């Protein structure tokens, strides 16, 4: 089995659950130490020993229950709070003088763990409910409200409600992030499909329209129909009606990346996309009688996917030269291999692009520059700059950062 990257859920709540599990174990140990060092003051020490032994066993046995929100069920929360309340109410039975000296209850600060579990699981309302029951139990145990009792009750009540509120805010933020990730994934997939359509189907339809109109007769009617279909398809692409094939459900939950096992074939495809390849052979077919290619003498190494997308963007720029600069226009491709980036410049001697024409073309659904060039470069972490002066041609500068693997191979 090979390894690949997969998106898995990683909620911001998990650190809180881990902290809660550690808190329960530590505070159970603290309650036992209190009994060891102050056990001589108990009139019925066997009550304290029995309860703390049961509490310790319960704490260790239920650690999986406080591992995450799914495992922490309502039934567990009720039972856990019942253990805490029982310990509070048993305190006067084990220590008859507890009410006079305001000594700690049998579970001591372990009780706060039960309340915090409610806060993390259900938010501030659940925290308020659990802390109120603990407050009532403490007042009953003391017989009457004392200053220390009120202080401890308020501390647990405020802290648990605050934590519950923070958890609710974090969950709302996760949902917002999940929605943003879902929209971004769908948008990227839509743009990828739109580029494929533009570079394939739309180009063919446009060619059929031009040739049919030039030939005339029945071919002209075929060209007219092709033109109508081209307009309709451009409208779909520009209007964002091309659906994403699939949006990752894991990414829509808020995620991090980790390595997991996967069959060799899928991992091989991912690894192949990262292997360095020479950009020059991919650009060589673009050269011709009216296209001059200037390149370094040494290999220009880039990850395979980056090199393919860069070459496709160069092809889209040359398509625009042939379509808009005229049959007699010349173009030059210059490849510059820097230590940190690769820059490919496509320049022509055409009439240039009038000011505002690109924005107008995008509004008409003609997205060659927006999708086939800028969209491709953005997806591989690069940039595309277009400079055009009417009467002086057009220059497209494509820049991509060099990957770590490519630098090592050099």
């Amino acid at each position: 089995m090979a390894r690949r990257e997969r998106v898995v859920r990683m909620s911001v709540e998990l650190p809180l659950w881990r902290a809660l599990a550690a808190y329960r174990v530590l505070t159970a140990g603290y309650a036992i130490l209190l009994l060891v060092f102050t056990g001589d003051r108990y009139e019925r020490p066997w009550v304290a020993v029995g309860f703390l032994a049961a509490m310790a066993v319960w704490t260790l046995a239920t650690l999986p229950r406080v591992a995450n929100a799914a495992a922490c069920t309502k039934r567990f929360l009720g039972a856990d709070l019942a253990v805490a309340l029982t310990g509070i109410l048993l305190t006067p039975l084990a220590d008859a003088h507890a009410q006079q000296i305001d000594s700690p209850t049998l579970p001591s600060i372990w009780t706060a763990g039960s309340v915090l579990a409610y806060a993390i699981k259900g938010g501030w309302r659940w925290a308020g409910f659990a802390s109120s029951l603990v407050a009532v139990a403490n007042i009953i145990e003391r017989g009457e409200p004392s200053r220390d009792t009120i202080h401890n009750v308020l501390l647990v009540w405020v802290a648990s409600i605050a934590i519950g509120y923070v958890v609710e805010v974090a969950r709302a933020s996760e949902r917002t992030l999940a929605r943003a990730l879902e929209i971004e994934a769908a948008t990227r997939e839509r743009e990828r499909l739109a580029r494929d359509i533009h570079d394939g189907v739309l180009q063919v339809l446009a060619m059929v329209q031009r040739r049919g109109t030039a030939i005339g007769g029945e071919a002209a009617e075929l060209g007219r129909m092709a033109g109508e279909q081209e307009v309709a398809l451009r409208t779909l692409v520009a209007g964002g009606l091309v659906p994403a094939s699939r949006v990752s459900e894991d990414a829509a939950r808020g995620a991090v990346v980790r390595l997991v096992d996967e069959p060799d074939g899928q991992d091989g495809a991912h690894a192949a996309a990262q292997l360095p390849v020479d950009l020059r052979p991919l650009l060589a077919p673009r050269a011709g009688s009216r296209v001059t290619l200037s390149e370094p003498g040494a290999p220009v190494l880039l990850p395979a996917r980056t090199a393919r997308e860069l070459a496709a963007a160069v092809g889209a720029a040359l398509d625009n030269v042939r379509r808009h600069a005229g049959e007699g226009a010349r173009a030059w491709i210059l490849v510059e291999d820097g230590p940190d980036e690769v820059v490919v410049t496509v320049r022509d001697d055409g009439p240039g692009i009038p000011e505002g024409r690109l924005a107008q073309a995008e509004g008409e659904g003609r997205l060659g520059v927006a999708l086939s060039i800028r969209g491709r470069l953005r997806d591989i972490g690069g940039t595309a700059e277009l400079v055009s002066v009417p009467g002086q041609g057009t220059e497209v500068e494509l820049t991509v950062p060099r990957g770590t693997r490519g630098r090592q191979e050099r």
Side-chain angles (χ1 to χ4, degrees), residues 66-344:
V66 290
N68 52 62
C72 187
T73 62
K74 292 181 179 179
R75 181 177 298 180
F76 162 74
L77 288 174
D80 195 59
L81 185 60
V83 171
L85 297 178
T86 300
I88 294 173
L89 298 176
L90 282 177
T91 302
L93 181 62
D95 183 6
H97 301 288
Q99 295 178 337
Q100 286 75 31
I101 62 176
D102 229 2
S103 59
T105 60
L106 288 178
S108 185
I109 56 176
W110 184 90
T111 303
S114 299
V115 178
L116 292 177
Y118 272 83
I120 300 174
K121 172 70 175 182
W124 69 270
R125 294 176 180 83
W126 287 31
F129 167 77
S131 58
S132 296
L133 291 181
V134 170
V136 171
N138 274 283
I139 293 174
I140 293 175
E141 185 266 333
R142 296 301 178 191
E144 61 180 13
S146 65
R147 184 182 64 181
D148 289 342
T149 301
I150 296 299
H151 171 78
N152 293 334
V153 165
L154 286 177
L155 181 62
V156 173
W157 196 73
V158 172
S160 61
I161 289 180
I163 291 175
Y165 177 75
V166 170
V167 169
E168 289 189 1
V169 172
R171 285 173 179 158
S173 299
E174 278 190 326
R175 289 192 294 268
T176 301
L177 176 60
R179 180 58 180 162
L181 290 173
E182 182 180 357
I183 293 173
E184 181 185 9
T187 301
R188 287 187 177 276
E189 180 67 9
R190 184 171 65 244
E191 289 183 354
R192 185 190 66 79
L193 292 175
R195 285 198 300 269
D196 292 343
I197 292 172
H198 178 273
D199 293 347
V201 180
L202 289 178
Q203 301 283 19
V204 172
L205 290 175
M207 182 184 68
V208 172
Q209 181 187 20
R210 291 195 301 270
R211 294 293 180 87
T213 302
I215 295 173
E218 294 183 358
E221 177 63 17
L222 180 61
R224 184 189 65 80
M225 295 173 61
E228 293 177 353
Q229 294 302 312
E230 180 194 5
V231 172
L233 190 53
R234 287 187 186 277
T235 301
L236 288 175
V237 173
L241 299 180
V242 179
S245 61
R246 178 173 59 87
V247 177
S248 170
E249 295 180 358
D250 290 332
R253 295 190 185 104
V256 294
V257 175
R258 72 175 182 182
L259 293 173
V260 295
D261 289 337
E262 185 189 45
D264 290 334
Q266 297 179 13
D267 182 72
H270 174 74
Q274 299 302 318
L275 289 176
V277 300
D278 188 359
L279 177 65
R280 299 177 305 167
L282 299 179
L283 296 179
R286 309 289 182 183
S289 60
R290 296 190 176 277
V291 179
T292 301
L293 174 62
S294 300
E295 59 188 18
V300 181
L301 297 179
L302 287 171
R305 176 176 177 270
T306 300
R308 288 195 301 268
E309 291 296 307
L310 181 56
V314 171
L318 293 175
D319 289 339
N320 285 337
V321 173
R322 285 190 290 269
R323 186 178 303 108
H324 302 296
E327 295 294 333
R330 291 186 57 83
W332 293 265
I333 305 173
L334 174 62
V335 181
E336 299 175 84
D337 188 10
D340 299 318
E341 61 186 17
V342 173
V343 180
V344 180

Side-chain angles (χ1 to χ4, degrees), residues 324 351-361 386 388-391 393-394:
H324 302 296
I353 303 174
E355 185 177 355
R357 177 57 186 146
L358 288 179
Q360 180 184 356
L386 187 146
S388 181
V389 178
T394 301

Side-chain angles (χ1 to χ4, degrees), residues 37-96:
F37 289 106
T38 62
D40 54 347
R41 65 180 174 81
Y42 287 101
E43 285 76 11
R44 301 179 182 86
W46 56 270
V47 174
V49 171
F51 170 77
L52 290 177
M55 188 185 77
V57 172
W58 171 261
T59 300
L60 296 176
T62 57
L63 282 179
R65 290 293 185 177
V66 290
N68 52 62
C72 187
T73 62
K74 292 181 179 179
R75 181 177 298 180
F76 162 74
L77 288 174
D80 195 59
L81 185 60
V83 171
L85 297 178
T86 300
I88 294 173
L89 298 176
L90 282 177
T91 302
L93 181 62
D95 183 6

